Amino acid sequence: MRLPLPVFILALAPLAQGASTPDAASQAFEQTFQDTVHPFIQTYCLSCHSGEQAKAELDLTAYGNLASVTGDFKRWNLILERLKAKEMPPKEAPHQPSADERQAVQEWIAAVNAEEAQRRAGDPGLVLARRLSNAEYDYTIHDLTGVDLRPTKEFPVDPANQAGFDNSGESLDMSPALFKKYYQAARDVADHVVLEPDGLAFAPNPMLDESDRDKYSVLRIVDFYQRQPTDFAAYFFAAWRFQHRAALGQPEATLAEIARDCKVSPKYLSTVWDLLSDPAEQVGPLAKLQARWRALPAPGDTDPSALRARTEEMRDFVVNLRDKIIPDVPNISAPGLGPGSQPMVLWKDNQMAANRRTYDPALLQPSATPPAPETISAVAETAPAPATAPATPAVSTTPTAVNVLAAAQGEGVAKVNPTPAFNAKLPSGLGLPVAPVAKTAADGRPLSALEIADLALAAQPARKAGGPLPKTPDIVKFGGVFLEAPVTTTNASATARMALAKKHAGEPDPDLYVPEDPAQRARYEAAFAKFAEVFPDAFYISERARVYLDPEVEESLEGRLLSAGLHSQTGYFRDDGPLYEMILDDDAKRELDHLWNVFEFNAAIPARMHVSFLFAERDSFRDSAFDQYRPENKAVTSQEMIKSLADILLAKAQEGRVTPVALQAVKDHFDRVASDNRWLEETRVAAEPVHLQALLTFAERSYRRPLTAAERADILSFYKQDRTENGAEHEDAIRDSLVRVLMSPYFLYHLELDSNQAVGQPASRSTAITPKGIPISMAQGGTTAGTAPASTPPAFAPPANTRPLSDYELANRLSYFLWSSMPDQELLAHAAAGDLHQPEVLLAQTRRLLQDGHIQNFAVEFGGNWLDFRRFEEHNAVDRDRFPAFTNNLREAMFQEPVHFLVDLVQADRPVLNLLYANYTFVNPILAQHYGIPNVNGAPDQWVRVDDASAYGRGGLLPMAVFLTVNSPGLRTSPVKRGNWVVRRLLGENIPAPPPNVPVLPADEAQLGNLTLAQTLARHHTDPNCASCHEKFDSFGLVFEGYGPVGEARTKDLADHPVELKATFPDGTEESGVAGLRDYIKTKVQNEFVDNLCRKLLSYSLGRTLLPSDDLLVQDMRARLASSDYRFSPLVEAIVTSPQFLTKRAPAGEPVRTAMSN
Amino acid sequence: MHTDHEHSHDENALPLFNRRLKPYVQPSRPEMLARRRFLRGAGVMMALPFLDSLSVFGADSTTVAPAGAGAATVPARPYPQRLAIIFQGNGVNPDHWWAKGAGDTMELSKTLEPLTPHRKKLNVISGLFNPPAVGVGIHPGQTGNILSGMPLMKGAVLRGGISMDQVLANRIGQETMQPSLILGCEQPMTGYHETNFSLAYSSHISWQSPDSPVPMEVYPALAFDCLFENQGNKRMQSVLDRVMDDAATVSRKISAEDNQKLDEFLTSVREVEKRVDHMRSEQVKAAANAQGQGQPLIAMNRPDNGLPEDIREHMKLMCDIVALAFQTDKTRLATLVLCRDLSGLFYPFLNVRKTHHTASHDDLSEDYEKIVRYYVGNFAYLAARLDAMPEGDGTVLDNTCLVYLSSMFSGSRHDNTKLPILTLGGLGGTLETGRTLEFSDKGDESRKLCSFYLSLMDRMGVRLPRFGDADTRLSGV
């Protein structure tokens, strides 16, 4: 049998050399070593463990005195374990020590260990400079850029250290191959940079090609539009709430407060309110709207969903009437420039945009006799009953659809003959019953009218303005933005609406009535004007087909986001005046302006539109006069060339028949092209220094500390060199500079460089960072077996040659411990203020970090590595033909279960023993189905806590499918692997590696013949060499036989044998199933679990393997756990206030103080 | 097999002493000595070229018999295989696009006449089509997926499929300085066609991901630079210099132990720098060797900045750059969009005053025939350049496959139910040439363009179970 020993890490050689003046205790140790231990080794060990061929590569001749032992203590602890287990010397060895001899050596090792731990308690150990792990790199890039790019997905997997974590200098190497991967990763990140007029940002997609740039900005702008509250019905509802605020129990509520509650714009609500509540006598559309408004039921008079339906009728009335009075804008053209040419299309866009809040009086219908007055109550009565109120999503209502809808509702509106395309656009909710709304709260209390109204709103299946788009199978995820394909919005097809008004002009329509009498008519026109002003025909236009062609034909061509409506050329047009003026507040206006500015700047829209124009007109520009205006010529967007081209075109236009309007349109167009391109050029120049400043900020955030003056100068000089010597353009030089920053060891490495602190002495800060409570509690909690009398605990003194961490270093340690990522602004602000080392600040920040969403990183990185599910998302060892239930979605859900469990445990500060004994777990619908848990519905991201999980055989970590699956080799379970997982991962036992050439079990349970797996295993272990190890863990795995290879509950195995859940644990206890395992752990080995958790967490937090000198801290952690009901937070607090965490060994090459030398 | 055995608990349970025992040792770097790894991606131009085994450069090349078509494993080749896609938008003149017979006696139509000298190395392939591009709407919808065979999404969000040249670039591109060379002689466009497909689909046939095209280089000078001026290397060198300075500064402030860790970093930087240097010296040596053998390297000066005024000059330069890149093994994959779909190019030198797209609507006209013949002439020009470069017993063309492709057959009818396809070169002896291949009479399942791509990729050692809309190889090619 081979004896595994730990990696001999770190520079321990000085320890051994330093042991020259042993004190009394060490003298006694030395004596015992020479008298007892050394002879023992000589007699019983050296025949195998010596020389070149030493078994297990353990040459015990190397240990001739105490110092050599303390210098290599981890090995000696393993020797101790093997002796205790009576595994060594092996049973077949000719000479066996007596029990006393064995005992004496064991005691000596234990005593030396305890002394060592005591002497060096608080030693920060050697925490090596090391690169960020792959996970840390990805998370840091995410926080640095704001986008989740995961550049390391094609990197090799990071190796783990002895404790199983991949975040320590012991295992994280750098190599040229990896270095080049980092270089490519840095390039990839830099490819995502967006140059904005006022800084740098990062896009979710690479920004190399023009289509990438367009896509990025267009989607952001459309997303902004869709987030705005533009549904008139929501405003009518909010106005109703304000009207009835007293009855609704909010007598003091202001309009602005109501607006906030209803998630509508206060500004526009005020406009609507003024109109609805205007006491003056009204005519025409205003009179009709007010009548509808006044006819709204009072609170309590009606079912709330009916109220909602009535406000939607008001909305439909407005939209319907509004569409009938949109002014028509004709196509214009000039010689050489047809109606589809850029100047003419943009002219039309501008005209339509200018008319959003006006109407065309020519469309009104003068008549001597007014139409019969509408009876609003009758409208209410004929309206569909609340239960079947049409759910009319404002956002997808095209005017045509509104008309069809209205016709379906029996309203007397102009008949339209819906085409299939129009029918397809009917709101999908039409005719669907609205979800019933409860009238009592969960506790039985009757709900207030306000609460009922809110519930009704919430129950609306229709999408409320600004809500997420309904998800359809066509949904495309792009850059974190979900878009339907194609996107539809209310405001999409105003061109079509304009055309509709024109089409139906002249059909008798009581809505359009005006008196013939001129004086009377003026009152009506004023009412129409006011109506049109308050209710724009569209708040914004997010898509346009070609605007100069038949709108009905064009309507199928939606999805041209922000398009100017040109044909086969690049062209965008901003048309959001009403939204901007009426709905947005100043912050939102700034945001929207910014989005458009970034778009035009980063995607060079003015220049590209002009070049595109030249391409599109090539066939008409055949004249040699146009020869120099080839789009290939980079100078075509210069002021001179824009102007000279305009001159040529204007001259040509004037040669033919041209209207003054068209002539002016051409002139205006080129003026605008010139000024837009001038803006682009000037903004580019002005932005360069801004980008350099942003680059420095980026570097500072990347390095996670302030830059020195020299570093700032260096980064700027790099940029300059790149431009002058390498000929890089500004944007490329910025990208290169980002790469240069991301390749710096300051970014790539954890470097604790602060050399300002005096070496070896507790600086002024160390009074704060030396937690006086800790050594005392360590001494109290410590069972300092051996020499040091427990009554006189040694005062804590930081080991020599250590220094306190600077606050920046501390901020980094803390955030990489809890977030696996860079410190955020708040943490860095405390570092800058220099107060992070103060215990109360440190603990407050620790608690804040624990409550932050980044803690998920901790669950994945600490939990995933500790419990060995970190790479489960790539787990492909399941035969999906045999287990069709195992889909990628189920695999992902399995992976997420422990993550959700751990995040909950940390954030709710639950007992860590819940990991083992909890009777709850977390599932999403996919995992619930796998577990047979009913009534969990919704999307895959709907995670719910399941209490009483034992009813489904779940609860806590043990029966989680992820562990059962990852420890099954495909077509059968593996009690060996599962048991080993429990013993090794949870209980922290050191299991030696298996010898080579052991027999193999069948790969498939179905091929086991007449034996069960348990019986096969038992036979397999008749060999005592195998049994010695297997008896340590097989039983821990056999209790899981009630779960199949993908963690599914089962009563029969794949060979159709009934499964056996019974197992005999190493101490002879018999238990059955997971419940039995829990009982066994609780009564027999719970301490092992707790100790292991403390050690794992400490090792993870420090980024190194533990040392004997950490033992007292571990004891302290255990004591704190025991005294705090095993809650999680005391563990973290014990760590972050420990000297190990707060100090660092000093860089000097001087010998580090050793345990036995002073 | 022990991989699934019970005892392989996990990798961390391996005997610990199998890992490092000493406090710290300089890690041995097997990956460094194993297969070379290269940087990939546009804009990164750092890799060791293939120069050692190119006989034109006079280094000894271990001779390996050329692999026959369909060989299960692809043995190392004495010369690299190259593939270039040459695209011309808007179809051909159907009356003048045909070939009869085989080999030396192949009879070529008027449009194909420029290929007469290359008949033995030519395949004229008729009747293939790209089903996802048929019946979805003309122009962009017929073009953007011509190399991917995936359906395209209409509207603002671009989505199609990764193109076959980029699939190859991902697999074999890392062996050369540039994974692939994506060139065009006409600026790309965005905006919308009347079919509601984005014009980006008209401009780009090479896609690095389903929603992002590979940026296309239209400036000959910049295309040249990315091969020869080594901008990428220079820029990388600058980064390395600064990073080295950083590391030196750090090393003065940290402990001996930390310095051992940092030394891995420094060593890595130096190692990568050495490779850059090595590449440069290889290039110099290669040039000298070539001269010594009396085999002239293509003499090509850096083209002028900006776009050539004359499209003839522009196309010739781009063909030269492809030829040069192949000869010097800077890349093995090239895509050249001579003119895009909906092209606005002008041909005054052919005495045609219509732009390309307008002319294609009268595709049976003499004018359009002249235009297409001009393009075939460019194809022949590129082949001639490659055929003039000796490589082993043959020429670079023999180790290459040039594919000529248009998005439709007839521009007036926007008919893409069959496509005009030509190939030139034997792809290292894996592709039989001198043939006229007719697939029109085969069933639709047996004449898919993507099946043809699968067959080509097989021959280049990249065997995929399926690509685009095809999961079978093209039978008879």
Side-chain angles (χ1 to χ4, degrees), chain A residues 897 931 953-961 963-964 1040 1043 1047 1074 1078:
Chain A
E897 185 186 9
Y931 286 171
R954 310 292 161 174
L957 297 176
L958 291 168
M960 283 188 187
F963 306 122
L964 296 165
F1040 290 108
Y1043 303 95
V1074 172
R1078 287 201 190 100

Side-chain angles (χ1 to χ4, degrees), chain A residues 953-975:
Chain A
R954 310 292 161 174
L957 297 176
L958 291 168
M960 283 188 187
V962 60
F963 306 122
L964 296 165
T965 305
V966 81
N967 290 310
S968 294
L971 288 179
R972 60 172 168 81
T973 63
S974 170

Side-chain angles (χ1 to χ4, degrees), chain A residues 2-8 10-11 56-57 75 126-129 154 160 162 169-170 172-177 179-181 183-184 187 208-212 214-215 476 478 483 485 546 557-561 563 567-570 608 612 615 618-619 622 630 632 634 703 714 717-718 721-722 725-726 732 736 739-740 743-746 748-749 751 753 868 969 972 974 976-977 980 984-985 993-994 997-1001 1020 1030 1144 1147, chain B residues 1-2 4-10 12-23 27 29 31-32 37-41 43-44 46 153 155-159 186-196 199-200 204 211-216 219 231-232 234-236 238-240 242-243 246-247 249-250 253-258 261-262 264-265 267-269 271-272 275 307-310 340 342 344-346 353-355 358:
Chain A
R2 299 158 76 183
L3 180 67
L5 285 173
V7 180
F8 180 13
L10 318 186
E57 295 179 29
R75 247 175 227 242
L126 194 53
V127 175
L128 287 169
E154 287 176 12
Q162 190 191 344
E170 299 148 35
L172 290 172
D173 291 339
M174 180 64 85
S175 67
F179 183 86
K180 289 170 78 176
K181 283 191 177 291
Y183 185 75
Q184 184 59 50
R187 281 266 164 230
L208 297 175
D209 187 81
E210 287 172 347
S211 67
D212 296 330
D214 290 6
K215 179 167 62 180
V476 182
F478 178 75
L483 285 177
R546 290 170 295 181
L557 303 176
E558 42 185 24
R560 302 179 175 198
L561 299 179
S563 159
H567 176 45
S568 289
Q569 50 182 303
T570 305
R608 283 172 52 212
S612 199
F615 258 115
R618 279 193 152 192
D619 269 324
R622 287 178 200 173
R630 294 184 61 204
E632 290 83 354
K634 267 195 164 176
Y703 295 174
D714 174 78
S717 84
F718 175 83
Q721 179 195 355
D722 204 34
E725 290 176 24
N726 296 340
D732 278 338
D736 288 344
V739 172
R740 181 253 175 278
M743 289 310 290
S744 170
Y746 296 124
L748 282 178
Y749 275 67
L751 295 170
L753 297 171
D868 196 25
R972 60 172 168 81
S974 170
V976 173
K977 282 178 162 230
N980 182 60
R984 209 170 144 256
R985 298 283 171 169
N997 305 323
V998 295
V1000 182
L1001 292 171
H1020 177 69
H1030 278 269
K1144 177 170 180 61
Chain B
M1 278 300 291
H2 252 247
D4 263 3
H5 184 264
E6 298 299 306
H7 289 86
S8 54
H9 302 308
D10 67 29
N12 295 323
L14 290 171
L16 292 167
F17 38 73
N18 280 359
R19 299 194 219 154
R20 290 205 306 275
L21 275 172
K22 293 178 186 159
R29 296 189 179 83
E31 72 274 24
M32 210 179 89
R37 296 179 178 217
F38 302 114
L39 296 174
R40 299 159 42 190
V44 179
M46 233 243 43
M153 185 185 274
V157 178
L158 302 179
R159 179 161 278 268
E186 196 173 7
Q187 298 273 31
M189 297 275 280
T190 59
Y192 297 91
H193 182 253
E194 65 203 45
T195 55
N196 221 26
L199 289 182
H204 297 285
D211 47 21
S212 199
V214 183
M216 185 164 73
Y219 288 85
Q231 283 298 313
K234 276 169 74 178
R235 288 157 65 181
M236 183 174 187
S238 308
V239 171
L240 296 180
R242 298 294 175 122
V243 162
D246 285 355
T249 310
V250 171
K253 296 185 190 170
I254 57 178
S255 69
E257 295 88 352
D258 280 353
K261 291 301 285 184
L262 193 71
E264 297 170 9
F265 182 84
T267 309
S268 299
V269 180
E271 198 61 44
V272 172
R275 292 183 196 187
L307 290 172
E309 282 293 308
D310 189 330
R340 57 174 162 75
L342 288 172
L345 292 182
F346 243 151
R353 292 301 290 181
K354 289 176 181 168
T355 63
T358 312

Side-chain angles (χ1 to χ4, degrees), chain A residues 1005-1029:
Chain A
E1005 272 177 11
Q1007 293 161 9
L1008 286 171
N1010 292 327
L1011 300 177
T1012 64
L1013 198 54
Q1015 291 162 339
T1016 311
L1017 269 176
R1019 175 174 292 187
H1020 177 69
H1021 302 150
T1022 46
D1023 179 346
N1025 280 336
C1026 298
S1028 70
C1029 277

Side-chain angles (χ1 to χ4, degrees), chain A residues 32-157:
Chain A
T32 313
F33 179 82
Q34 299 302 343
D35 294 351
T36 312
V37 181
H38 201 239
F40 181 97
I41 290 168
Q42 300 268 340
T43 310
Y44 301 112
C45 310
L46 285 190
S47 61
C48 292
H49 294 289
S50 63
E52 294 277 302
Q53 302 297 314
K55 288 257 174 100
E57 295 179 29
L58 173 66
D59 181 359
L60 289 172
T61 55
Y63 305 97
N65 57 25
L66 173 66
S68 60
V69 174
T70 55
D72 193 4
F73 215 85
K74 296 191 70 67
R75 247 175 227 242
W76 279 80
N77 271 332
L78 276 171
I79 294 172
L80 175 61
E81 259 183 48
R82 296 290 173 267
L83 285 173
K84 273 181 164 172
K86 299 198 172 61
E87 287 169 359
M88 285 289 142
K91 293 193 173 70
E92 64 272 21
H95 307 290
Q96 293 290 337
S98 72
D100 286 351
E101 283 176 300
R102 194 185 280 277
Q103 184 66 22
V105 173
Q106 285 172 202
E107 277 178 13
W108 181 83
I109 298 175
V112 171
N113 191 21
E115 168 72 8
E116 176 77 1
Q118 184 84 11
R119 292 255 182 181
R120 298 177 50 81
D123 179 4
L126 194 53
V127 175
L128 287 169
R130 62 195 184 277
R131 66 172 170 85
L132 304 182
S133 70
N134 290 348
E136 288 172 337
Y137 186 86
D138 283 350
Y139 295 132
T140 305
I141 290 289
H142 187 171
D143 288 338
L144 198 54
T145 63
V147 280
D148 192 8
L149 301 175
R150 304 191 191 192
T152 70
K153 53 185 170 288
E154 287 176 12
F155 282 26
V157 175

